[in-house]
Amino acid sequence: MKEDPESKESLTVVDNRTGLTYEIPIKDQAVNASDFRKIKEHERDFGLLVYDPSFVNTASCRSAITFIDGDQGVLEYRGYPIEELAKKSTFLETAYLLIKGELPTSAELDAWTNEIRTHTYMHEKMKMFMEGFQYDAHPMGMLIATVAAMSTIYRDARDVTDPESREANTIRLIAKMPTVAAFTYRHNRGLPYVYPDNDLTYVGNFLSMLWKMAEPQYAPSPVLERAIDVLFILHADHEQNCSTNAMRSVGSSESDPYSSTAAAAAALYGPLHGGANEAVINMLNGIGDKKNIPDFVRRVKEGEGLLWGFGHRVYKNYDPRAEIIKQTADEVFELTGPNPLLEIALELERIALEDDYFIERKLYPNVDFYSGIIYQALGFPVDMFPALFAIPRTAGWLAQWREMLEDKERKIARPRQLFVGESRRPYVPMDQR
Ligand code: ACO
């Protein structure tokens, strides 16, 4: 393509139906879909719509939180590369960064940590609510319902236009999410719920609520504590993914943050999103042995199923989070002993990355390919995996929700449709059908 020295930041569009020419401005490498409305065949027409099922090429907002370059495999929170945050930051510091936009000073981090640490307890009514679930209820079903039910306790959360309410409920949600997740785990095991220990770190307290038995104070392993903290940093935000889109979409009607977070968690529950690492474990168990990998890959290529943990809507290169997780896995396995599934996963990755089917479609391992293997080595049952994802992602959802509420361009989310049904017809009485 040749560059025209007189080029303008616009598109010239000719409507071949009418012969009319339109100039559509380009801003930030995008055109505004509403500008196409002026393109009409007849005066009474609605104007051209932009058709984009599943928002494959539609920017739904302006955001300053997370940057992804899917072709280069780049992920940054507020401009900081994920690799540096995973090495140098903590989850709570990263949550602050996502929500407030800057890294905290030492005093700001102390105050933030203290606020979160002192809001970890759940209302006793919420605990009783959770006790009502079936003994083997799925953790995500419990988590979604409990988070939604929390809106009945914190009634002030409905005032989403009040910055103080937004701040208070942001802190409550980040603080209580590990408590809810840990209670689902204890519930499934028929163990008494363990109340938060606010002397421990965010992750240390989570591990205590999961695994404390009769000891006076639970002593988390620093290696596991750090490994989970890193996993939490990696999962904290990922721009406009399915669950974040749900958070923004539900939140755009000014629902309270608990209801919006429950909706986001419901979106995360699906196997194509946060449930993928559960599917990866089931897939690796199904393969069972390295010698079965070629046959499995052949069946995937013939359309018999997916290679779970591979492919991404945005990354068309190695997911940078998968690279970091692989390193974390080594540290965890040194402590827990190896997970036999890792060997199958590594071989599967090797074979897939050499196969034309996956190369042509730019399918690389995503964050979920290895995260499940680590969670399993740590002793988490597979149905806990999406709940482990929901804890850190709550920080990202809330950062995006707050940004959305402060956005001057915000309107209630309301896509259009291309109607393809029957045109107007008279009602047919029952005896004539
Ligand atoms: N295994 C086999 N084939 C795949 C896979 C896969 N994991 N992913 C995509 N493909 C194929 C599709 O069949 C399609 O092939 P075709 O062109 O011959 O029809 C092509 O690659 C393009 O795939 P799409 O489904 O169009 O890609 P899309 O961007 O819509 O989907 C998604 C992305 C949903 C993540 C998909 O890759 C997938 O289902 N992966 C497995 C599930 C998974 O790991 N999800 C976790 C995502 S990360 C996260 O949420 C944290």
Side-chain angles (χ1 to χ4, degrees), residues 321-367:
R321 300 167 301 171
E323 200 81 67
I324 300 167
I325 284 196
K326 255 170 125 177
Q327 295 156 19
T328 308
D330 292 340
E331 288 157 29
V332 169
F333 295 144
E334 229 170 80
L335 201 84
T336 61
N339 183 339
L341 294 185
L342 180 66
E343 228 181 284
I344 302 178
L346 287 168
E347 182 63 2
L348 183 54
E349 177 189 329
R350 191 189 64 76
I351 291 180
L353 291 182
E354 285 175 358
D355 192 297
D356 283 347
Y357 176 94
F358 298 93
I359 294 170
E360 278 161 18
R361 290 168 179 77
K362 299 189 175 169
L363 300 171
Y364 291 88
N366 60 50
V367 69

mmCIF file of all heavy atoms in Angstrom, residues 321-367:
data_model
loop_
_atom_site.group_PDB
_atom_site.id
_atom_site.type_symbol
_atom_site.label_atom_id
_atom_site.label_comp_id
_atom_site.label_asym_id
_atom_site.label_seq_id
_atom_site.Cartn_x
_atom_site.Cartn_y
_atom_site.Cartn_z
ATOM 1 N N ARG A 321 0.946 -15.400 29.762
ATOM 2 C CA ARG A 321 0.640 -15.941 31.094
ATOM 3 C C ARG A 321 0.997 -17.421 31.160
ATOM 4 O O ARG A 321 1.420 -17.923 32.203
ATOM 5 C CB ARG A 321 -0.839 -15.720 31.408
ATOM 6 C CG ARG A 321 -1.235 -14.254 31.395
ATOM 7 C CD ARG A 321 -2.736 -14.072 31.397
ATOM 8 N NE ARG A 321 -3.381 -14.707 30.253
ATOM 9 C CZ ARG A 321 -4.685 -14.843 30.103
ATOM 10 N NH1 ARG A 321 -5.499 -14.384 31.019
ATOM 11 N NH2 ARG A 321 -5.190 -15.421 29.034
ATOM 12 N N ALA A 322 0.833 -18.134 30.044
ATOM 13 C CA ALA A 322 1.146 -19.570 30.031
ATOM 14 C C ALA A 322 2.645 -19.772 30.256
ATOM 15 O O ALA A 322 3.065 -20.700 30.950
ATOM 16 C CB ALA A 322 0.712 -20.186 28.701
ATOM 17 N N GLU A 323 3.451 -18.867 29.696
ATOM 18 C CA GLU A 323 4.916 -18.942 29.855
ATOM 19 C C GLU A 323 5.294 -18.803 31.334
ATOM 20 O O GLU A 323 6.105 -19.574 31.858
ATOM 21 C CB GLU A 323 5.526 -17.778 29.039
ATOM 22 C CG GLU A 323 6.970 -17.934 28.686
ATOM 23 C CD GLU A 323 7.181 -18.838 27.471
ATOM 24 O OE1 GLU A 323 6.773 -18.445 26.379
ATOM 25 O OE2 GLU A 323 7.760 -19.932 27.672
ATOM 26 N N ILE A 324 4.690 -17.824 32.005
ATOM 27 C CA ILE A 324 5.014 -17.579 33.424
ATOM 28 C C ILE A 324 4.520 -18.747 34.277
ATOM 29 O O ILE A 324 5.192 -19.196 35.204
ATOM 30 C CB ILE A 324 4.379 -16.244 33.907
ATOM 31 C CG1 ILE A 324 4.909 -15.075 33.080
ATOM 32 C CG2 ILE A 324 4.658 -16.007 35.390
ATOM 33 C CD1 ILE A 324 4.135 -13.780 33.246
ATOM 34 N N ILE A 325 3.336 -19.246 33.952
ATOM 35 C CA ILE A 325 2.759 -20.353 34.722
ATOM 36 C C ILE A 325 3.654 -21.586 34.646
ATOM 37 O O ILE A 325 3.796 -22.313 35.627
ATOM 38 C CB ILE A 325 1.339 -20.683 34.208
ATOM 39 C CG1 ILE A 325 0.381 -19.614 34.724
ATOM 40 C CG2 ILE A 325 0.891 -22.051 34.634
ATOM 41 C CD1 ILE A 325 -1.051 -19.961 34.637
ATOM 42 N N LYS A 326 4.260 -21.804 33.495
ATOM 43 C CA LYS A 326 5.143 -22.970 33.347
ATOM 44 C C LYS A 326 6.299 -22.893 34.355
ATOM 45 O O LYS A 326 6.677 -23.891 34.955
ATOM 46 C CB LYS A 326 5.718 -23.001 31.930
ATOM 47 C CG LYS A 326 5.080 -24.064 31.062
ATOM 48 C CD LYS A 326 5.517 -23.858 29.645
ATOM 49 C CE LYS A 326 6.155 -25.029 29.003
ATOM 50 N NZ LYS A 326 6.496 -24.767 27.598
ATOM 51 N N GLN A 327 6.816 -21.661 34.550
ATOM 52 C CA GLN A 327 7.914 -21.500 35.523
ATOM 53 C C GLN A 327 7.395 -21.730 36.944
ATOM 54 O O GLN A 327 8.044 -22.380 37.765
ATOM 55 C CB GLN A 327 8.517 -20.090 35.439
ATOM 56 C CG GLN A 327 9.202 -19.804 34.119
ATOM 57 C CD GLN A 327 9.274 -18.313 33.813
ATOM 58 O OE1 GLN A 327 9.132 -17.468 34.698
ATOM 59 N NE2 GLN A 327 9.482 -17.978 32.556
ATOM 60 N N THR A 328 6.205 -21.190 37.227
ATOM 61 C CA THR A 328 5.620 -21.367 38.562
ATOM 62 C C THR A 328 5.399 -22.851 38.835
ATOM 63 O O THR A 328 5.601 -23.319 39.962
ATOM 64 C CB THR A 328 4.278 -20.607 38.652
ATOM 65 O OG1 THR A 328 4.511 -19.273 38.235
ATOM 66 C CG2 THR A 328 3.707 -20.618 40.057
ATOM 67 N N ALA A 329 4.990 -23.577 37.803
ATOM 68 C CA ALA A 329 4.725 -25.012 37.960
ATOM 69 C C ALA A 329 5.976 -25.726 38.469
ATOM 70 O O ALA A 329 5.902 -26.546 39.384
ATOM 71 C CB ALA A 329 4.276 -25.616 36.632
ATOM 72 N N ASP A 330 7.138 -25.365 37.922
ATOM 73 C CA ASP A 330 8.380 -26.020 38.355
ATOM 74 C C ASP A 330 8.602 -25.836 39.849
ATOM 75 O O ASP A 330 8.981 -26.764 40.555
ATOM 76 C CB ASP A 330 9.580 -25.449 37.583
ATOM 77 C CG ASP A 330 9.532 -25.842 36.112
ATOM 78 O OD1 ASP A 330 8.834 -26.830 35.798
ATOM 79 O OD2 ASP A 330 10.157 -25.148 35.289
ATOM 80 N N GLU A 331 8.363 -24.591 40.338
ATOM 81 C CA GLU A 331 8.587 -24.309 41.769
ATOM 82 C C GLU A 331 7.609 -25.112 42.622
ATOM 83 O O GLU A 331 7.962 -25.656 43.668
ATOM 84 C CB GLU A 331 8.403 -22.816 42.048
ATOM 85 C CG GLU A 331 9.537 -21.971 41.488
ATOM 86 C CD GLU A 331 9.123 -20.525 41.259
ATOM 87 O OE1 GLU A 331 8.237 -20.029 41.968
ATOM 88 O OE2 GLU A 331 9.708 -19.889 40.349
ATOM 89 N N VAL A 332 6.360 -25.198 42.165
ATOM 90 C CA VAL A 332 5.347 -25.919 42.941
ATOM 91 C C VAL A 332 5.665 -27.416 42.971
ATOM 92 O O VAL A 332 5.611 -28.050 44.026
ATOM 93 C CB VAL A 332 3.940 -25.675 42.356
ATOM 94 C CG1 VAL A 332 2.911 -26.603 42.967
ATOM 95 C CG2 VAL A 332 3.531 -24.226 42.574
ATOM 96 N N PHE A 333 6.048 -27.953 41.823
ATOM 97 C CA PHE A 333 6.276 -29.406 41.760
ATOM 98 C C PHE A 333 7.510 -29.826 42.557
ATOM 99 O O PHE A 333 7.601 -30.951 43.004
ATOM 100 C CB PHE A 333 6.371 -29.883 40.309
ATOM 101 C CG PHE A 333 5.081 -29.708 39.559
ATOM 102 C CD1 PHE A 333 5.065 -29.367 38.222
ATOM 103 C CD2 PHE A 333 3.859 -29.867 40.205
ATOM 104 C CE1 PHE A 333 3.862 -29.184 37.537
ATOM 105 C CE2 PHE A 333 2.660 -29.688 39.534
ATOM 106 C CZ PHE A 333 2.666 -29.346 38.199
ATOM 107 N N GLU A 334 8.443 -28.880 42.747
ATOM 108 C CA GLU A 334 9.592 -29.189 43.587
ATOM 109 C C GLU A 334 9.122 -29.487 45.011
ATOM 110 O O GLU A 334 9.709 -30.299 45.718
ATOM 111 C CB GLU A 334 10.532 -27.988 43.607
ATOM 112 C CG GLU A 334 11.975 -28.382 43.327
ATOM 113 C CD GLU A 334 12.826 -27.168 43.118
ATOM 114 O OE1 GLU A 334 13.214 -26.548 44.115
ATOM 115 O OE2 GLU A 334 13.056 -26.841 41.928
ATOM 116 N N LEU A 335 8.048 -28.834 45.392
ATOM 117 C CA LEU A 335 7.524 -28.993 46.755
ATOM 118 C C LEU A 335 6.528 -30.142 46.854
ATOM 119 O O LEU A 335 6.544 -30.926 47.801
ATOM 120 C CB LEU A 335 6.832 -27.684 47.151
ATOM 121 C CG LEU A 335 6.676 -27.451 48.634
ATOM 122 C CD1 LEU A 335 7.965 -26.851 49.173
ATOM 123 C CD2 LEU A 335 5.531 -26.476 48.878
ATOM 124 N N THR A 336 5.641 -30.211 45.864
ATOM 125 C CA THR A 336 4.534 -31.179 45.975
ATOM 126 C C THR A 336 4.859 -32.513 45.326
ATOM 127 O O THR A 336 4.112 -33.471 45.465
ATOM 128 C CB THR A 336 3.270 -30.634 45.268
ATOM 129 O OG1 THR A 336 3.588 -30.441 43.891
ATOM 130 C CG2 THR A 336 2.785 -29.329 45.864
ATOM 131 N N GLY A 337 5.975 -32.562 44.584
ATOM 132 C CA GLY A 337 6.226 -33.741 43.743
ATOM 133 C C GLY A 337 5.518 -33.509 42.424
ATOM 134 O O GLY A 337 4.543 -32.741 42.365
ATOM 135 N N PRO A 338 5.996 -34.169 41.345
ATOM 136 C CA PRO A 338 5.446 -33.855 40.016
ATOM 137 C C PRO A 338 4.012 -34.349 39.842
ATOM 138 O O PRO A 338 3.603 -35.312 40.485
ATOM 139 C CB PRO A 338 6.391 -34.604 39.067
ATOM 140 C CG PRO A 338 7.021 -35.664 39.902
ATOM 141 C CD PRO A 338 7.025 -35.201 41.317
ATOM 142 N N ASN A 339 3.282 -33.630 38.997
ATOM 143 C CA ASN A 339 1.946 -34.086 38.610
ATOM 144 C C ASN A 339 2.141 -34.892 37.320
ATOM 145 O O ASN A 339 2.656 -34.370 36.333
ATOM 146 C CB ASN A 339 1.049 -32.866 38.356
ATOM 147 C CG ASN A 339 -0.371 -33.263 38.018
ATOM 148 O OD1 ASN A 339 -0.628 -34.386 37.594
ATOM 149 N ND2 ASN A 339 -1.295 -32.332 38.192
ATOM 150 N N PRO A 340 1.765 -36.188 37.323
ATOM 151 C CA PRO A 340 2.006 -37.018 36.125
ATOM 152 C C PRO A 340 1.355 -36.438 34.869
ATOM 153 O O PRO A 340 1.796 -36.720 33.749
ATOM 154 C CB PRO A 340 1.386 -38.372 36.485
ATOM 155 C CG PRO A 340 0.695 -38.207 37.804
ATOM 156 C CD PRO A 340 1.098 -36.909 38.407
ATOM 157 N N LEU A 341 0.342 -35.590 35.044
ATOM 158 C CA LEU A 341 -0.318 -35.020 33.868
ATOM 159 C C LEU A 341 0.581 -34.013 33.153
ATOM 160 O O LEU A 341 0.393 -33.729 31.972
ATOM 161 C CB LEU A 341 -1.629 -34.340 34.266
ATOM 162 C CG LEU A 341 -2.748 -35.248 34.796
ATOM 163 C CD1 LEU A 341 -4.003 -34.441 35.033
ATOM 164 C CD2 LEU A 341 -3.042 -36.395 33.821
ATOM 165 N N LEU A 342 1.575 -33.472 33.909
ATOM 166 C CA LEU A 342 2.455 -32.462 33.298
ATOM 167 C C LEU A 342 3.210 -33.047 32.102
ATOM 168 O O LEU A 342 3.348 -32.406 31.069
ATOM 169 C CB LEU A 342 3.447 -31.918 34.336
ATOM 170 C CG LEU A 342 4.417 -30.864 33.803
ATOM 171 C CD1 LEU A 342 3.660 -29.592 33.404
ATOM 172 C CD2 LEU A 342 5.483 -30.507 34.823
ATOM 173 N N GLU A 343 3.680 -34.275 32.279
ATOM 174 C CA GLU A 343 4.444 -34.911 31.208
ATOM 175 C C GLU A 343 3.588 -35.028 29.937
ATOM 176 O O GLU A 343 4.046 -34.751 28.827
ATOM 177 C CB GLU A 343 4.836 -36.309 31.666
ATOM 178 C CG GLU A 343 6.292 -36.634 31.430
ATOM 179 C CD GLU A 343 6.596 -38.043 31.896
ATOM 180 O OE1 GLU A 343 6.695 -38.242 33.132
ATOM 181 O OE2 GLU A 343 6.677 -38.937 31.038
ATOM 182 N N ILE A 344 2.331 -35.423 30.129
ATOM 183 C CA ILE A 344 1.422 -35.550 28.972
ATOM 184 C C ILE A 344 1.187 -34.170 28.362
ATOM 185 O O ILE A 344 1.208 -34.001 27.137
ATOM 186 C CB ILE A 344 0.077 -36.194 29.390
ATOM 187 C CG1 ILE A 344 0.317 -37.570 30.002
ATOM 188 C CG2 ILE A 344 -0.892 -36.265 28.216
ATOM 189 C CD1 ILE A 344 -0.941 -38.265 30.492
ATOM 190 N N ALA A 345 1.007 -33.152 29.234
ATOM 191 C CA ALA A 345 0.734 -31.796 28.737
ATOM 192 C C ALA A 345 1.919 -31.278 27.920
ATOM 193 O O ALA A 345 1.728 -30.702 26.836
ATOM 194 C CB ALA A 345 0.449 -30.862 29.910
ATOM 195 N N LEU A 346 3.133 -31.484 28.417
ATOM 196 C CA LEU A 346 4.312 -30.971 27.708
ATOM 197 C C LEU A 346 4.458 -31.628 26.340
ATOM 198 O O LEU A 346 4.742 -30.970 25.339
ATOM 199 C CB LEU A 346 5.582 -31.219 28.547
ATOM 200 C CG LEU A 346 5.739 -30.330 29.792
ATOM 201 C CD1 LEU A 346 6.855 -30.838 30.690
ATOM 202 C CD2 LEU A 346 6.003 -28.880 29.383
ATOM 203 N N GLU A 347 4.208 -32.932 26.298
ATOM 204 C CA GLU A 347 4.321 -33.662 25.038
ATOM 205 C C GLU A 347 3.199 -33.243 24.076
ATOM 206 O O GLU A 347 3.427 -33.065 22.873
ATOM 207 C CB GLU A 347 4.266 -35.174 25.335
ATOM 208 C CG GLU A 347 4.428 -36.074 24.133
ATOM 209 C CD GLU A 347 5.788 -35.968 23.425
ATOM 210 O OE1 GLU A 347 6.671 -35.210 23.874
ATOM 211 O OE2 GLU A 347 5.936 -36.628 22.376
ATOM 212 N N LEU A 348 2.020 -33.050 24.621
ATOM 213 C CA LEU A 348 0.880 -32.617 23.802
ATOM 214 C C LEU A 348 1.171 -31.247 23.200
ATOM 215 O O LEU A 348 0.927 -31.002 22.013
ATOM 216 C CB LEU A 348 -0.373 -32.571 24.692
ATOM 217 C CG LEU A 348 -1.708 -32.206 24.062
ATOM 218 C CD1 LEU A 348 -2.024 -33.087 22.870
ATOM 219 C CD2 LEU A 348 -2.831 -32.325 25.102
ATOM 220 N N GLU A 349 1.710 -30.349 24.020
ATOM 221 C CA GLU A 349 2.056 -29.012 23.526
ATOM 222 C C GLU A 349 3.100 -29.117 22.409
ATOM 223 O O GLU A 349 2.962 -28.490 21.359
ATOM 224 C CB GLU A 349 2.609 -28.152 24.671
ATOM 225 C CG GLU A 349 3.040 -26.777 24.179
ATOM 226 C CD GLU A 349 3.805 -25.943 25.202
ATOM 227 O OE1 GLU A 349 3.559 -26.088 26.406
ATOM 228 O OE2 GLU A 349 4.643 -25.141 24.768
ATOM 229 N N ARG A 350 4.120 -29.954 22.640
ATOM 230 C CA ARG A 350 5.198 -30.097 21.645
ATOM 231 C C ARG A 350 4.623 -30.567 20.307
ATOM 232 O O ARG A 350 4.888 -29.987 19.252
ATOM 233 C CB ARG A 350 6.250 -31.090 22.161
ATOM 234 C CG ARG A 350 7.525 -31.115 21.332
ATOM 235 C CD ARG A 350 8.452 -32.247 21.731
ATOM 236 N NE ARG A 350 7.899 -33.580 21.497
ATOM 237 C CZ ARG A 350 7.809 -34.172 20.309
ATOM 238 N NH1 ARG A 350 8.237 -33.549 19.240
ATOM 239 N NH2 ARG A 350 7.281 -35.386 20.183
ATOM 240 N N ILE A 351 3.785 -31.612 20.365
ATOM 241 C CA ILE A 351 3.232 -32.182 19.128
ATOM 242 C C ILE A 351 2.298 -31.171 18.443
ATOM 243 O O ILE A 351 2.373 -30.949 17.236
ATOM 244 C CB ILE A 351 2.503 -33.508 19.432
ATOM 245 C CG1 ILE A 351 3.548 -34.567 19.835
ATOM 246 C CG2 ILE A 351 1.661 -33.978 18.244
ATOM 247 C CD1 ILE A 351 2.990 -35.935 20.166
ATOM 248 N N ALA A 352 1.454 -30.512 19.230
ATOM 249 C CA ALA A 352 0.486 -29.573 18.634
ATOM 250 C C ALA A 352 1.210 -28.398 17.980
ATOM 251 O O ALA A 352 0.826 -27.949 16.894
ATOM 252 C CB ALA A 352 -0.480 -29.085 19.699
ATOM 253 N N LEU A 353 2.277 -27.914 18.636
ATOM 254 C CA LEU A 353 2.956 -26.737 18.086
ATOM 255 C C LEU A 353 3.745 -27.052 16.816
ATOM 256 O O LEU A 353 4.186 -26.141 16.116
ATOM 257 C CB LEU A 353 3.875 -26.100 19.142
ATOM 258 C CG LEU A 353 3.151 -25.422 20.316
ATOM 259 C CD1 LEU A 353 4.136 -24.790 21.282
ATOM 260 C CD2 LEU A 353 2.151 -24.368 19.836
ATOM 261 N N GLU A 354 3.908 -28.347 16.518
ATOM 262 C CA GLU A 354 4.590 -28.724 15.266
ATOM 263 C C GLU A 354 3.594 -29.115 14.178
ATOM 264 O O GLU A 354 3.970 -29.476 13.082
ATOM 265 C CB GLU A 354 5.517 -29.928 15.536
ATOM 266 C CG GLU A 354 6.773 -29.537 16.271
ATOM 267 C CD GLU A 354 7.630 -30.743 16.634
ATOM 268 O OE1 GLU A 354 7.212 -31.890 16.342
ATOM 269 O OE2 GLU A 354 8.698 -30.529 17.212
ATOM 270 N N ASP A 355 2.308 -29.094 14.524
ATOM 271 C CA ASP A 355 1.296 -29.607 13.608
ATOM 272 C C ASP A 355 0.686 -28.459 12.780
ATOM 273 O O ASP A 355 0.314 -27.415 13.337
ATOM 274 C CB ASP A 355 0.198 -30.287 14.439
ATOM 275 C CG ASP A 355 -0.740 -31.103 13.582
ATOM 276 O OD1 ASP A 355 -1.433 -30.515 12.715
ATOM 277 O OD2 ASP A 355 -0.788 -32.317 13.778
ATOM 278 N N ASP A 356 0.571 -28.678 11.464
ATOM 279 C CA ASP A 356 0.067 -27.623 10.574
ATOM 280 C C ASP A 356 -1.311 -27.119 10.975
ATOM 281 O O ASP A 356 -1.597 -25.929 10.848
ATOM 282 C CB ASP A 356 -0.005 -28.140 9.125
ATOM 283 C CG ASP A 356 1.369 -28.160 8.496
ATOM 284 O OD1 ASP A 356 2.283 -27.559 9.095
ATOM 285 O OD2 ASP A 356 1.528 -28.800 7.432
ATOM 286 N N TYR A 357 -2.181 -28.010 11.447
ATOM 287 C CA TYR A 357 -3.541 -27.596 11.818
ATOM 288 C C TYR A 357 -3.476 -26.452 12.834
ATOM 289 O O TYR A 357 -4.143 -25.422 12.700
ATOM 290 C CB TYR A 357 -4.307 -28.782 12.431
ATOM 291 C CG TYR A 357 -5.694 -28.441 12.938
ATOM 292 C CD1 TYR A 357 -6.815 -28.620 12.128
ATOM 293 C CD2 TYR A 357 -5.885 -27.935 14.222
ATOM 294 C CE1 TYR A 357 -8.086 -28.309 12.588
ATOM 295 C CE2 TYR A 357 -7.155 -27.619 14.688
ATOM 296 C CZ TYR A 357 -8.245 -27.813 13.874
ATOM 297 O OH TYR A 357 -9.505 -27.494 14.328
ATOM 298 N N PHE A 358 -2.646 -26.623 13.872
ATOM 299 C CA PHE A 358 -2.565 -25.633 14.944
ATOM 300 C C PHE A 358 -1.732 -24.422 14.505
ATOM 301 O O PHE A 358 -2.041 -23.289 14.860
ATOM 302 C CB PHE A 358 -1.985 -26.273 16.216
ATOM 303 C CG PHE A 358 -2.871 -27.385 16.722
ATOM 304 C CD1 PHE A 358 -2.650 -28.705 16.351
ATOM 305 C CD2 PHE A 358 -3.968 -27.104 17.520
ATOM 306 C CE1 PHE A 358 -3.495 -29.726 16.777
ATOM 307 C CE2 PHE A 358 -4.818 -28.109 17.954
ATOM 308 C CZ PHE A 358 -4.583 -29.420 17.581
ATOM 309 N N ILE A 359 -0.699 -24.673 13.667
ATOM 310 C CA ILE A 359 0.143 -23.563 13.199
ATOM 311 C C ILE A 359 -0.691 -22.624 12.318
ATOM 312 O O ILE A 359 -0.718 -21.423 12.519
ATOM 313 C CB ILE A 359 1.371 -24.095 12.409
ATOM 314 C CG1 ILE A 359 2.284 -24.889 13.359
ATOM 315 C CG2 ILE A 359 2.131 -22.967 11.737
ATOM 316 C CD1 ILE A 359 3.394 -25.664 12.669
ATOM 317 N N GLU A 360 -1.431 -23.217 11.366
ATOM 318 C CA GLU A 360 -2.225 -22.391 10.437
ATOM 319 C C GLU A 360 -3.268 -21.553 11.160
ATOM 320 O O GLU A 360 -3.550 -20.429 10.797
ATOM 321 C CB GLU A 360 -2.960 -23.291 9.429
ATOM 322 C CG GLU A 360 -2.096 -23.720 8.275
ATOM 323 C CD GLU A 360 -2.673 -24.943 7.558
ATOM 324 O OE1 GLU A 360 -3.872 -25.230 7.734
ATOM 325 O OE2 GLU A 360 -1.883 -25.619 6.852
ATOM 326 N N ARG A 361 -3.865 -22.123 12.193
ATOM 327 C CA ARG A 361 -4.923 -21.411 12.932
ATOM 328 C C ARG A 361 -4.378 -20.574 14.070
ATOM 329 O O ARG A 361 -5.136 -19.997 14.841
ATOM 330 C CB ARG A 361 -5.942 -22.414 13.462
ATOM 331 C CG ARG A 361 -6.777 -23.030 12.361
ATOM 332 C CD ARG A 361 -7.581 -24.213 12.852
ATOM 333 N NE ARG A 361 -8.404 -24.774 11.799
ATOM 334 C CZ ARG A 361 -7.952 -25.563 10.811
ATOM 335 N NH1 ARG A 361 -6.668 -25.855 10.749
ATOM 336 N NH2 ARG A 361 -8.782 -26.035 9.896
ATOM 337 N N LYS A 362 -3.050 -20.543 14.209
ATOM 338 C CA LYS A 362 -2.383 -19.776 15.266
ATOM 339 C C LYS A 362 -2.928 -20.160 16.635
ATOM 340 O O LYS A 362 -3.330 -19.312 17.432
ATOM 341 C CB LYS A 362 -2.527 -18.273 15.029
ATOM 342 C CG LYS A 362 -1.903 -17.837 13.718
ATOM 343 C CD LYS A 362 -1.852 -16.343 13.611
ATOM 344 C CE LYS A 362 -1.093 -15.973 12.338
ATOM 345 N NZ LYS A 362 -1.172 -14.607 11.989
ATOM 346 N N LEU A 363 -2.974 -21.446 16.899
ATOM 347 C CA LEU A 363 -3.471 -21.947 18.183
ATOM 348 C C LEU A 363 -2.273 -22.283 19.067
ATOM 349 O O LEU A 363 -1.482 -23.157 18.730
ATOM 350 C CB LEU A 363 -4.356 -23.184 17.968
ATOM 351 C CG LEU A 363 -5.591 -22.977 17.097
ATOM 352 C CD1 LEU A 363 -6.263 -24.303 16.778
ATOM 353 C CD2 LEU A 363 -6.573 -22.043 17.773
ATOM 354 N N TYR A 364 -2.154 -21.559 20.156
ATOM 355 C CA TYR A 364 -1.053 -21.745 21.113
ATOM 356 C C TYR A 364 -1.658 -22.034 22.485
ATOM 357 O O TYR A 364 -2.835 -21.755 22.723
ATOM 358 C CB TYR A 364 -0.218 -20.465 21.201
ATOM 359 C CG TYR A 364 0.575 -20.185 19.950
ATOM 360 C CD1 TYR A 364 0.005 -19.464 18.898
ATOM 361 C CD2 TYR A 364 1.875 -20.638 19.826
ATOM 362 C CE1 TYR A 364 0.725 -19.207 17.750
ATOM 363 C CE2 TYR A 364 2.611 -20.376 18.672
ATOM 364 C CZ TYR A 364 2.028 -19.666 17.637
ATOM 365 O OH TYR A 364 2.745 -19.412 16.501
ATOM 366 N N PRO A 365 -0.836 -22.531 23.427
ATOM 367 C CA PRO A 365 -1.386 -22.753 24.769
ATOM 368 C C PRO A 365 -1.850 -21.428 25.380
ATOM 369 O O PRO A 365 -1.185 -20.409 25.223
ATOM 370 C CB PRO A 365 -0.201 -23.303 25.570
ATOM 371 C CG PRO A 365 0.795 -23.753 24.577
ATOM 372 C CD PRO A 365 0.580 -22.935 23.342
ATOM 373 N N ASN A 366 -2.991 -21.452 26.031
ATOM 374 C CA ASN A 366 -3.434 -20.271 26.778
ATOM 375 C C ASN A 366 -3.213 -20.513 28.267
ATOM 376 O O ASN A 366 -2.732 -21.572 28.674
ATOM 377 C CB ASN A 366 -4.893 -19.927 26.425
ATOM 378 C CG ASN A 366 -5.860 -21.052 26.762
ATOM 379 O OD1 ASN A 366 -5.842 -21.583 27.870
ATOM 380 N ND2 ASN A 366 -6.707 -21.409 25.812
ATOM 381 N N VAL A 367 -3.585 -19.528 29.079
ATOM 382 C CA VAL A 367 -3.301 -19.575 30.519
ATOM 383 C C VAL A 367 -3.838 -20.848 31.179
ATOM 384 O O VAL A 367 -3.275 -21.352 32.148
ATOM 385 C CB VAL A 367 -3.876 -18.292 31.192
ATOM 386 C CG1 VAL A 367 -5.386 -18.294 31.181
ATOM 387 C CG2 VAL A 367 -3.354 -18.097 32.590
#
